Amino acid sequence: MAKLRLDADDDLREIRASAERVARERYEPKAAQWDLERTPFPHEERRFLGELGYLGISLPEEFGGAGAPLSQALVVIEELARVCRPAAFQVFEANTGPAQVVALIGTDHQKKNFLPDIVSGAKTMAVAISEPDAGSAATDLTTKATRSDGNVTVSGNKRWISNGSEADVYLVYSRLSDAPGSKGIGAVLVEADREGVSYGAREKLMGFRGIPSADVYFDDVVVPAENIVVEAGGFKSLFGAFSIERLGNATMSLAIGQEALDRTTDYVQERMQFGKPLIEFQSVQMMLADMILQVDAARLLRDRAVANITDGLPDPLEVSLAKCTANEMAKKVTDMAIQLHGGNGYTEEFGIERLHRDSHGWALAGGTPTMQRTRIVSELLGRSFNQRA
C-alpha cells in the first residue's frame, strides 16, 4: 500500500519515517493497554513529544515552534494515529486545534503567554464549544463572557470537551454581547486553575479512551480582558480557523482507515481457508478493492485541501469534502476489516475493533458528516440555510 501513499518531497518522507518509528517502537506496545484501562495520555509522554518538536511543527518559530507547513504536522498526526490515537491527539491539538487558533488570530500577548508551553508539552489547550443544548447548533450556545473593570467573567457549562478535566487552558466560545445568534459570539482563554472552573465525571466513551472527555463548568470565572481572543461578532473568523482542526480530524480518520487497510491486506494473504489464502477468493478481492478505493479517495481530498491552503487557511468547501469522506470511509473500512478478519476481527487481540470504535468518535467530533453535507452545499452555492423550525 505504500506505493499509493506518495509524499510530495524528501522532507515529508523523512518526517513520516521518523514519526512511524516513534509510533511503532514507543506507542504501539502501550496503546492497547492504555485503551483497555482508559488511561489518559501521560504528561511525561506529552513532554517527550514536545522534545521531539512534534507539538510545534506548524506553530510560529518566535514562540518555539518550527513554522513549518501544516502538511508536516499532518504526516506526524497520521503516523501516530495509526497505532495510538491519544498520542496523535497531542500533536493534533497543538498544531491543528485551539493553539493554532491563537497562533493565527490571537494577540501578541496571548501568543507569548500560551504558545511556548504548548510547544514544549508543559501545558495543553482544549477547545470548548458544545453545550448540553448546543451541539451541531453551535450558535445556540449560552455561555457568557461579561466585561467588567478590565476583566471578563465567564459563566456556563460546556459538554463533550475532548481533554476536558485534563487540559491546562480552554478556548471557550462565549457570548460577549446580547446580539442574537452568531453575532454575539466570540472566544476567551480560560486557565484551568482559575477559581470557579470545575468538571463533571469523565465520560465512558465507546472509543477515544485515552482522550478524556468531560463537562466543564465555568462558575463566574474571572480572567483578564486580555484573554479575549475574538470579540463578539467574530464567529466567522473562529470557524475559519476551525477549518484547520477539521483537516486534522480528517487526517485522524484517514490514519484509522489506512491502518485497517494495511493490516487487512497482510491478513488476507496469510490467512488460510479451504486450503488457500483468503485473497484467492473473489469476494475478498472485491471487499479489499472497495477498501482501497475509499482510503485513497479520502487521502486525495485531504491532500487537495492541504495543497490549496492560502494565507494559513484552507478552503472550507474542500475541508468539508475531505472530512465527510474521511469520517465515513474510516467507519466503513474498519467494518469491512472486521468482516475480513472474521472472528479474529472481533477480538481485542488483533486491534481492529479498537480502530472501529475510534472511527466513530472522529465522525462525531468537529461537525458530523450530516452537518458537513449541509456545509458542502452551503459553500458550493455561497448561501446559508436556516435549519430551525
Side-chain angles (χ1 to χ4, degrees), residues 39-341:
T39 303
F41 193 70
H43 292 183
E44 62 270 21
E45 291 297 336
R46 188 177 74 223
R47 288 190 287 272
F48 171 74
L49 293 174
E51 291 169 4
L52 292 179
Y54 286 171
L55 302 182
I57 296 172
S58 62
L59 294 177
E61 291 182 81
E62 60 189 298
F63 306 112
L70 185 64
S71 57
Q72 295 188 12
L74 295 179
V75 162
V76 174
I77 291 170
E78 180 182 350
E79 291 305 319
L80 292 178
R82 288 182 59 153
V83 299
C84 183
R85 266 68 68 195
F89 184 74
Q90 311 305 312
V91 184
F92 166 93
E93 283 286 77
N95 290 280
T96 70
Q100 187 64 256
V101 175
V102 172
L104 285 171
I105 58 179
T107 65
D108 287 341
H109 171 78
Q110 291 162 1
K111 295 172 188 178
K112 292 175 184 176
N113 197 38
F114 293 102
L115 294 185
D117 282 344
I118 300 297
V119 171
S120 70
K123 293 183 179 180
T124 186
M125 185 181 293
V127 63
I129 304 175
S130 297
E131 297 180 1
D133 296 316
S136 293
T139 55
D140 285 352
L141 66 85
T142 60
T143 295
K144 289 187 177 181
T146 307
R147 287 178 177 273
S148 178
D149 299 325
N151 292 320
V152 178
T153 301
V154 181
S155 303
N157 172 198
K158 294 296 184 178
R159 179 158 292 175
W160 305 120
I161 307 307
S162 296
N163 245 12
S165 75
E166 187 74 10
D168 300 285
V169 186
Y170 296 92
L171 178 65
V172 185
Y173 283 48
S174 317
R175 293 203 166 275
L176 280 94
S177 81
D178 294 329
S182 64
K183 295 178 181 178
I185 296 175
V188 59
L189 291 164
V190 180
E191 298 92 335
D193 58 3
R194 294 277 181 182
E195 185 177 353
V197 177
S198 61
Y199 310 99
R202 288 185 173 178
E203 303 286 351
K204 292 188 176 180
L205 304 178
M206 172 181 171
F208 275 37
R209 292 185 175 180
I211 304 172
S213 177
D215 276 24
V216 184
Y217 301 99
F218 301 98
D219 297 316
D220 295 330
V221 181
V222 178
V223 300
E226 61 194 14
N227 278 22
I228 295 175
V229 179
V230 173
E231 296 281 1
F235 189 76
K236 186 174 182 179
S237 67
L238 281 169
F239 260 75
F242 195 68
S243 290
I244 296 176
E245 180 156 329
R246 287 187 167 129
L247 275 183
N249 180 301
T251 300
M252 287 285 200
S253 289
L254 177 59
I256 289 170
Q258 186 73 63
E259 182 69 9
L261 171 58
D262 288 355
R263 291 192 190 191
T264 303
T265 301
D266 291 341
Y267 184 82
V268 297
Q269 294 179 86
E270 298 165 358
R271 176 67 169 167
M272 301 291 291
Q273 288 291 285
F274 302 100
K276 59 182 180 180
L278 285 176
I279 194 63
E280 297 293 335
F281 295 94
Q282 190 176 55
S283 60
V284 172
Q285 296 166 19
M286 296 301 103
M287 287 185 71
L288 190 63
D290 282 343
M291 293 169 72
I292 296 168
L293 285 165
Q294 292 187 41
V295 170
D296 209 37
R299 181 176 297 282
L300 290 169
L301 285 170
R302 193 285 309 265
D303 287 353
R304 182 181 69 176
V306 173
N308 290 336
I309 288 176
T310 303
D311 296 328
L313 294 174
D315 179 87
L317 172 59
E318 293 181 350
V319 171
S320 289
L321 287 166
K323 183 184 185 299
C324 186
T325 301
N327 289 165
E328 296 199 331
M329 172 278 292
K331 291 191 292 182
K332 293 173 184 176
V333 165
T334 53
D335 181 70
M336 287 190 282
I338 290 172
Q339 293 179 58
L340 288 176
H341 278 75

